[in-house]
Amino acid sequence: QVQLVESGGGLVQAGGSLRLSCAVSGRTFSRYNMGWFRQAPGKEREFVAAMTWSGSTTSYADSVKDRFTISRDNAKNTVYLQMNSLKPEDTAVYLCAAAPGVYGLGRESYEYWGQGTQVTVSS
């Protein structure tokens, strides 16, 4: 059984920074492609960032490019999302997800999901 637990969310002023963490249980974490998604109230869950299992490839939504950075530490079974220059429109529940198969940016590519952590950016 694979479990994902996010942490690091909170309330921050516009222009501030947060770093989210996602701890993953399971011995094969190093073989999972990992992604971050977010969901704001009344909106669809949307892709934020992804990284291949090796870390060789990363992808970002246009809305967060140059502000957010995804990284991973396979020794700690943890994936991170560094968020800088936060904007009120970044307010959402952020969820991490694991994909043991192909690398993709859509929700359908991911098999395991965390419960999410709330990020609120005040103006």
Side-chain angles (χ1 to χ4, degrees), residues 24-90:
V24 183
S25 66
R27 294 177 294 174
T28 56
F29 169 77
S30 61
R31 291 294 181 179
Y32 293 156
N33 300 315
M34 297 298 298
W36 285 96
F37 290 75
R38 66 186 182 186
Q39 188 163 16
K43 294 189 176 182
E44 293 287 321
R45 187 172 298 184
E46 65 174 1
F47 167 77
V48 175
M51 172 177 274
T52 54
W53 66 270
S54 66
S56 61
T57 300
T58 57
S59 305
Y60 296 93
D62 288 342
S63 59
V64 306
K65 201 170 293 183
D66 299 326
R67 298 189 298 123
F68 291 11
T69 303
I70 187 172
S71 62
R72 65 191 295 161
D73 185 336
N74 287 345
K76 295 183 178 180
N77 280 19
T78 302
V79 63
Y80 304 98
L81 185 67
Q82 178 67 44
M83 306 186 296
N84 298 329
S85 302
L86 282 161
K87 304 175 182 180
E89 51 263 44
D90 294 319

Side-chain angles (χ1 to χ4, degrees), residues 4 32-37 47 49-52 70 96-113:
L4 291 76
Y32 293 156
N33 300 315
M34 297 298 298
W36 285 96
F37 290 75
F47 167 77
M51 172 177 274
T52 54
I70 187 172
C96 70
V102 298
Y103 180 70
L105 309 186
R107 289 175 290 176
E108 65 281 358
S109 297
Y110 294 84
E111 184 171 342
Y112 305 106
W113 292 83

